[in-house]
Amino acid sequence: MLRTYSASFKMNVIRALLLITLPLIGLLLAFNIYSYNAFNNKFVESNQQSLSLYAQNMQTDLETLDAFLTHVTVNDYNFRLLSSPATALQSHVASHEIMTQLKAALNSYDIADAFFIYSSVNNIYRDIFANSYSYELKEAIRTQMRHLTYTKANYYHQGWISLEVQGSYYLFRLLGKDGTYAAVMVDFEHIPAMHLIQEDTEVIYATNEYAPLTNAAFVTEQNLWSNDDYTVVGEPIGGTDIQLIFAVPKPGVFRGEFAILFSLSLLTVLLVITRLFYLNRSILSPWQRLVTRIGKGSDSEQQEEYRMEEFQRVDAAFTQMSSEISQLKIVAYEHEIERQKAELQHLQLQIKPHFFLNCLKSLYGMAQQRSYERMQNMILAISSHLRYNFRDNLQLVSLHQEVEHVQNYIRIQHIAHHIPPLCEWSIDSELNEFVIPPLSIQAFVENCVKYATKPGVQLYIRVKAVLLQSEEGDYVDITIQDNGDGFQPSILEELNCGDSSFYTDIHVGVSNVRHRISMLYGDRATLAFFNTEEGAAAEMILPINSRMSQQEEAS
């Protein structure tokens, strides 16, 4: 089967424009993004190469220092002498010779800032600093060095370690064993300047977990690790637990030329959106409103002025056509009302009270017995009954009026029978003015009298009306119940089947009630039959404030 898909004129126009403009905008944005990424990658690559060069140079310097210190601790005779107990003179001479080498190394290695030797065996500690540190700082460094020697860790395999002394970080390398050690210190602040790096580049030494060891204030103030104004590149330094980081300000091209390109792209998008908005307001929306108005019908109170002449002409032609259609609909509606009125009248006239013949027989018997007072009461009750039965079928009655009519019917039964039926009423007072079709309750009460009466047993009928409230609306629940034998299963099935011929053949009154409430209330009304422990029951659930009941009540 061939499927057809349809879309509105408005959607087709917008779709066609977007199919042209969106690819062009997408290409422009893609070009800008590609250019930005390419430039950024080149910029990062350039800085990464410079960083790698400096990190490699620093690693080489540290390895040179490490080799020198290893030579001292492994091959130097004086250091081996300090590792064993010696005389005070021997210890002094040996330490002096070692310090002479360390002083020469301090002048040779620009990266070194201090050397230390310590021998717990001979109680010797000496150090030499390359720069003029304060006395307090030197003492703090010495304390840190003694602490390192006390730990007796295998610093040879641990390599260079970073330690904090009075708020600043330093690199230390400690070698030795058996209580005799040699160490070297590197001050991050005195590492030779990097003259080839880009201007305004911030050099940061940090741990491998990005905890800054230097320039911490700058990292915190700039929130460096998430700052888009800087390109951050890092390189670990071999043999240490630190890395070298460059924070390079992005060139003005990132904030200037590329910003202009992106602004132009954004301006193009805004221009397209603006033109679409104008097209929608000037053509598409008026067209949509005109189509909607044509679909819903003409309404003189909702007419509007169109700017385009073509829309004005279409609107004028539609208004004239709608006026003619409205006149035809009024005529057709009046004919439909007359048809429904005739159909309801026909249905109501089909309700044939079967007790009329019995009433005539009862009147005949009363006449023979000369019970004139009973005859008079009987005639008045039958007169009221007939007057109610043949009233205007389109004029709904209140629940109170229907109850009075049924009570009059029961009164006739009391006059005509020696064991008359009893009827109990349970009606919510607030439902007295609720309107229902006439004979809605009387038809079921009459069926109770006709089918539920048993010889020698008084018939008991109970009529109950309650208000039901729900989210979908309010309803009135009317139940008529007797104390008879109840419905047979086959009859009960036929009664609850609305399309069964059982209604028209036997229960004409019940059929007419079902038909009338269906015409008046539609699918919102419910009619059901069931058996209880006491007997048969019929239940009607009618909506309150339905469209039909409001029209009938207003009339």
Side-chain angles (χ1 to χ4, degrees):
M1 180 177 179
L2 181 62
R3 293 186 177 181
T4 59
Y5 300 92
S6 61
S8 65
F9 172 75
K10 177 179 179 179
M11 290 303 301
N12 282 326
V13 172
I14 294 178
R15 186 183 302 160
L17 292 176
L18 292 178
L19 286 175
I20 297 174
T21 56
L22 288 182
L24 296 177
I25 295 174
L27 289 174
L28 179 61
L29 290 174
F31 173 76
N32 290 338
I33 294 173
Y34 172 78
S35 300
Y36 177 86
N37 290 333
F39 186 88
N40 183 67
N41 292 335
K42 290 292 183 182
F43 183 74
V44 171
E45 182 180 354
S46 174
N47 285 278
Q48 187 68 52
Q49 291 176 353
S50 299
L51 176 68
S52 299
L53 177 62
Y54 284 111
Q56 183 63 41
N57 290 338
M58 183 176 177
Q59 180 177 339
T60 301
D61 292 340
L62 293 177
E63 289 174 351
T64 302
L65 271 179
D66 187 87
F68 167 75
L69 204 62
T70 301
H71 173 75
V72 171
T73 58
V74 174
N75 299 322
D76 190 89
Y77 169 79
N78 294 307
F79 189 84
R80 291 199 305 271
L81 181 63
L82 290 178
S83 300
S84 304
T87 64
L89 179 60
Q90 290 175 331
S91 300
H92 175 77
V93 172
S95 62
H96 177 74
E97 292 296 329
I98 295 173
M99 291 304 298
T100 301
Q101 294 185 57
L102 296 181
K103 183 177 181 180
L106 194 63
N107 295 327
S108 301
Y109 301 111
D110 293 336
I111 196 172
D113 290 282
F115 283 100
F116 311 88
I117 59 171
Y118 174 75
S119 174
S120 60
V121 177
N122 296 287
N123 195 22
I124 294 293
Y125 174 83
R126 289 195 178 188
D127 56 41
I128 181 172
F129 291 88
N131 295 284
S132 57
Y133 293 103
S134 66
Y135 176 78
E136 292 79 6
L137 180 57
K138 287 181 178 180
E139 285 299 315
I141 294 174
R142 289 164 181 156
T143 301
Q144 184 66 62
M145 285 304 306
R146 289 190 178 95
H147 174 72
L148 287 177
T149 59
Y150 294 155
T151 58
K152 297 181 180 180
N154 187 358
Y155 292 104
Y156 180 81
H157 295 289
Q158 188 173 354
W160 293 84
I161 57 175
S162 58
L163 298 174
E164 182 183 8
V165 180
Q166 289 190 346
S168 298
Y169 282 89
Y170 303 88
L171 269 180
F172 292 92
R173 180 69 167 121
L174 181 68
L175 292 174
K177 63 179 180 177
D178 299 331
T180 303
Y181 303 94
V184 61
M185 182 190 78
V186 175
D187 190 344
F188 288 114
E189 300 295 335
H190 298 151
I191 293 177
M194 303 176 185
H195 302 291
L196 298 180
I197 63 175
Q198 182 178 333
E199 186 179 359
D200 297 329
T201 297
E202 295 289 338
V203 179
I204 302 163
Y205 293 95
T207 66
N208 292 326
E209 290 76 26
Y210 289 91
L213 304 178
T214 63
N215 227 345
F218 172 78
V219 173
T220 303
E221 291 174 2
Q222 299 295 330
N223 193 16
L224 187 61
W225 311 133
S226 59
N227 193 335
D228 290 335
D229 293 333
Y230 286 86
T231 296
V232 179
V233 291
E235 183 79 18
I237 299 175
T240 71
D241 58 352
I242 65 172
Q243 60 175 323
L244 177 62
I245 296 176
F246 284 177
V248 187
K250 291 184 178 180
V253 67
F254 285 95
R255 299 184 292 270
E257 288 81 353
F258 277 114
I260 294 175
L261 290 177
F262 279 106
S263 298
L264 290 176
S265 301
L266 180 61
L267 181 61
T268 304
V269 174
L270 293 177
L271 181 61
V272 171
I273 295 175
T274 302
R275 298 308 299 172
L276 287 175
F277 175 79
Y278 174 78
L279 178 66
N280 179 67
R281 190 180 68 172
S282 60
I283 298 178
L284 300 180
S285 289
W287 172 260
Q288 189 73 23
R289 292 196 300 270
L290 181 60
V291 171
T292 302
R293 184 165 175 256
I294 293 174
K296 292 183 177 180
S298 177
D299 188 350
S300 58
E301 296 181 357
Q302 296 182 354
Q303 290 184 0
E304 60 178 282
E305 291 293 333
Y306 296 98
R307 298 182 179 180
M308 299 187 67
E309 180 182 355
E310 290 79 0
F311 287 170
Q312 294 176 1
R313 294 169 60 183
V314 172
D315 183 64
F318 171 70
T319 301
Q320 181 180 358
M321 181 182 66
S322 297
S323 178
E324 296 175 357
I325 292 175
S326 297
Q327 294 297 326
L328 294 175
K329 289 175 65 176
I330 291 173
V331 174
Y333 183 71
E334 290 175 350
H335 286 306
E336 179 65 19
I337 290 177
E338 291 298 329
R339 187 193 67 79
Q340 288 189 359
K341 184 174 181 180
E343 184 176 353
L344 287 173
Q345 184 69 43
H346 172 71
L347 291 173
Q348 186 163 324
L349 288 175
Q350 283 185 329
I351 300 177
K352 301 174 183 179
H354 297 281
F355 70 97
F356 282 162
L357 291 178
N358 293 332
C359 289
L360 292 176
K361 291 179 181 180
S362 297
L363 288 173
Y364 180 77
M366 293 175 193
Q368 285 182 330
Q369 296 175 6
R370 299 179 183 275
S371 300
Y372 299 117
E373 184 176 356
R374 290 179 63 198
M375 288 180 62
Q376 291 174 349
N377 293 333
M378 185 78 161
I379 292 172
L380 291 175
I382 293 174
S383 176
S384 297
H385 186 82
L386 290 174
R387 185 181 303 111
Y388 186 87
N389 275 12
F390 296 106
R391 63 184 297 157
D392 185 1
N393 61 84
L394 290 181
Q395 181 67 41
L396 300 182
V397 299
S398 66
L399 185 58
H400 176 69
Q401 291 174 308
E402 179 73 4
V403 169
E404 287 184 345
H405 173 68
V406 176
Q407 289 174 341
N408 181 67
Y409 172 79
I410 296 297
R411 191 179 305 114
I412 294 174
Q413 298 298 324
H414 275 258
I415 297 173
H417 296 86
H418 295 291
I419 305 178
L422 294 179
C423 188
E424 177 186 342
W425 300 90
S426 177
I427 308 293
D428 287 354
S429 58
E430 58 185 346
L431 298 178
N432 285 332
E433 299 305 320
F434 173 69
V435 292
I436 61 174
L439 305 179
S440 296
I441 299 178
Q442 192 268 339
F444 296 103
V445 173
E446 184 178 349
N447 274 353
C448 292
V449 174
K450 182 177 179 181
Y451 296 105
T453 301
K454 295 183 288 186
V457 179
Q458 188 171 34
L459 178 64
Y460 181 76
I461 303 173
R462 181 163 52 193
V463 180
K464 181 180 180 182
V466 296
L467 176 65
L468 301 179
Q469 294 179 330
S470 68
E471 295 180 356
E472 298 178 355
D474 297 340
Y475 294 82
V476 174
D477 187 354
I478 302 174
T479 306
I480 301 94
Q481 182 178 350
D482 60 44
N483 63 339
D485 295 331
F487 299 110
Q488 296 180 6
S490 59
I491 294 178
L492 187 61
E493 183 179 356
E494 293 284 347
L495 285 172
N496 284 315
C497 180
D499 297 331
S500 175
S501 61
F502 180 78
Y503 282 101
T504 55
D505 295 343
I506 300 177
H507 289 279
V508 178
V510 176
S511 174
N512 288 342
V513 171
R514 179 185 290 274
H515 196 169
R516 284 192 296 154
I517 65 174
S518 176
M519 291 182 63
L520 294 174
Y521 303 106
D523 294 336
R524 298 187 63 194
T526 302
L527 178 59
F529 300 88
F530 55 92
N531 288 323
T532 66
E533 295 181 357
E534 299 177 357
E539 183 178 20
M540 285 187 297
I541 300 178
L542 306 178
I544 296 178
N545 295 330
S546 67
R547 180 181 62 83
M548 180 61 74
S549 62
Q550 288 176 347
Q551 291 177 355
E552 296 295 342
E553 187 177 7
S555 62

